[in-house]
């Protein structure tokens, strides 16, 4: 099996990290595969939701592959080139025009945190743990990653995580706003499916437009997909002429659930 796979089931896409024996540590090839998968998804107008998940019981993603990291630490130019691939993949994931869910089944560190924070929702098992550790290598977290973290947990807690490389448990992560939901491991898939069903029950046009508007308002750096304010206003105006609005309005007046495509 490939270390990164993309599968679709109807309107839902599943992007999976398949390296459980290495705690789903990410190689450069895996980052490139994630970027390529996002390119494919961005062109597929049938997709309404992406679930990002990982194989195994121990880790969602333990960060960078140790062997590759060891080699790159001896070659700053190679490290810089690798970081470019990482940032490109994360940027593409964050910019996908539909809702995304990170299904976190265990340890979530480094690049795993970067991936999870690019998603709109994060559901984690109770045993999961979280850390961001560039300070322990004398490095900085990227500007885009730092902005996402601050948007989620606020400045004081972002400092605590980044300055100290502090490890936090799932319930702390939830209390700090990093997670959308905490569940028992046996209910992880069930909780994810329930959220997918909720997302599919609302307008895809609304979710996509709102996602772009929120990204604009949060001033996410390096997001090439973001249009200017006039374009976002046009999205708002156009919404009144879409099939989703016609269906939503009809469902409201007829007192029935809306049936969005």
């Amino acid at each position: 099996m490939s270390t990164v796979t993309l599968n679709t089931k109807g309107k839902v896409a599943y992007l999976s990290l398949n390296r459980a024996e290495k705690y789903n540590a990410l190689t450069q090839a895996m980052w490139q595969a994630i970027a390529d998968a996002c390119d494919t998804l961005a062109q597929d107008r049938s997709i309404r939701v992406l679930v990002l998940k990982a194989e195994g019981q121990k880790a969602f993603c333990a960060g960078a592959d140790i062997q590759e990291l060891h080699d790159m630490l001896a070659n700053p130019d190679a490290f810089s080139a690798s970081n470019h691939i990482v940032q490109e993949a994360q940027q593409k994931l964050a910019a996908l025009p539909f809702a995304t869910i990170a299904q976190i089944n265990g340890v979530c560190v480094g690049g795993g945190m970067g991936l999870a924070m690019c998603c709109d929702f994060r559901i984690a098992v109770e045993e999961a743990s979280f850390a961001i550790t560039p300070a322990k290598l004398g490095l900085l977290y990227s500007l885009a990653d730092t902005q996402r973290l601050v948007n989620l947990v606020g400045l004081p807690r972002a400092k605590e995580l980044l300055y100290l490389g502090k490890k936090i448990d799932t319930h702390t992560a939830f209390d700090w706003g990093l997670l959308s939901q905490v569940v028992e491991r046996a209910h992880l898939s069930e909780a994810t499916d329930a959220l997918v069903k909720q997302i599919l029950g609302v307008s895809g046009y609304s979710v996509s437009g709102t996602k772009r508007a929120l990204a604009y308002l949060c001033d996410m750096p390096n997001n090439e997909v973001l249009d200017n304010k006039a374009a976002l206003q046009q999205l708002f105006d156009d919404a009144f002429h879409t099939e989703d609005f016609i269906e939503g309005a009809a469902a409201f007046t007829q007192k029935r659930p809306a049936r969005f495509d």
Side-chain angles (χ1 to χ4, degrees):
M1 179 185 293
S2 174
T3 52
V4 176
T5 54
L6 175 63
N7 297 291
T8 60
K9 184 178 180 181
K11 299 174 184 178
V12 185
Y14 297 88
L15 184 59
S16 180
L17 308 179
N18 307 314
R19 207 177 177 219
E21 74 282 2
K22 296 291 185 180
Y23 287 72
N24 294 306
L26 292 159
T27 63
Q28 291 183 71
M30 291 173 71
W31 280 113
Q32 187 61 61
I34 292 168
D36 293 343
C38 289
D39 285 339
T40 298
L41 289 167
Q43 300 302 316
D44 190 340
R45 295 182 178 274
S46 69
I47 299 300
R48 292 277 311 279
V49 188
L50 169 69
V51 176
L52 175 63
K53 61 193 186 100
E55 291 298 310
Q57 297 284 313
K58 295 181 179 180
F60 174 72
C61 177
D65 177 80
I66 295 298
Q67 185 57 54
E68 280 195 355
L69 180 62
H70 182 271
D71 295 341
M72 287 187 293
L73 288 175
N75 186 342
D77 290 338
F79 203 110
S80 178
S82 173
N83 187 62
H84 176 75
I85 297 172
V86 171
Q87 293 305 308
E88 181 180 52
Q90 291 185 175
Q91 179 179 316
K92 290 179 176 182
L93 176 59
L96 287 173
F98 43 75
T100 53
I101 304 168
Q103 181 179 283
I104 302 170
N105 58 322
V107 173
C108 185
V109 179
M113 280 282 287
L115 284 174
M117 290 193 300
C118 286
C119 293
D120 299 308
F121 302 95
R122 285 157 295 280
I123 302 176
V125 297
E126 292 180 333
E127 302 91 334
S129 59
F130 305 84
I132 303 170
T133 58
K136 294 186 177 182
L137 291 173
L139 298 173
L140 299 180
Y141 213 32
S142 76
L143 186 60
D145 284 320
T146 302
Q147 181 70 67
R148 292 184 189 107
L149 179 65
V150 171
N151 287 344
L152 287 170
V153 305
L155 184 59
R157 285 166 175 164
K159 288 180 178 179
E160 192 169 348
L161 288 167
L162 294 173
Y163 289 8
L164 307 178
K166 181 176 181 177
K167 178 180 177 181
I168 60 174
D169 62 24
T170 306
H171 294 286
T172 300
F174 178 79
D175 290 342
W176 286 11
L178 190 60
L179 298 176
S180 312
Q181 192 174 353
V182 177
V183 298
E184 295 179 3
R185 183 175 298 279
H187 300 307
L188 180 59
S189 294
E190 178 184 349
T192 304
D193 291 344
L195 180 54
V196 167
K197 184 177 180 180
Q198 286 182 282
I199 295 168
L200 293 178
V202 299
S203 165
Y205 183 94
S206 294
V207 171
S208 179
T210 300
K211 184 170 182 173
R212 291 171 67 183
L214 290 172
Y216 175 84
L217 292 171
C218 291
D219 193 25
M220 297 290 279
N222 300 321
N223 193 336
E224 297 175 0
V225 174
L226 293 182
D227 296 323
N228 58 32
K229 188 175 181 180
L232 290 170
Q233 182 62 45
Q234 189 62 52
L235 273 176
F236 177 85
D237 295 338
D238 289 348
F240 294 96
H241 307 284
T242 64
E243 292 183 3
D244 277 7
F245 175 69
I246 294 171
E247 167 61 14
F252 179 80
T253 57
Q254 296 168 18
K255 297 182 179 180
R256 61 170 174 80
R259 296 183 290 270
F260 296 112
D261 292 331

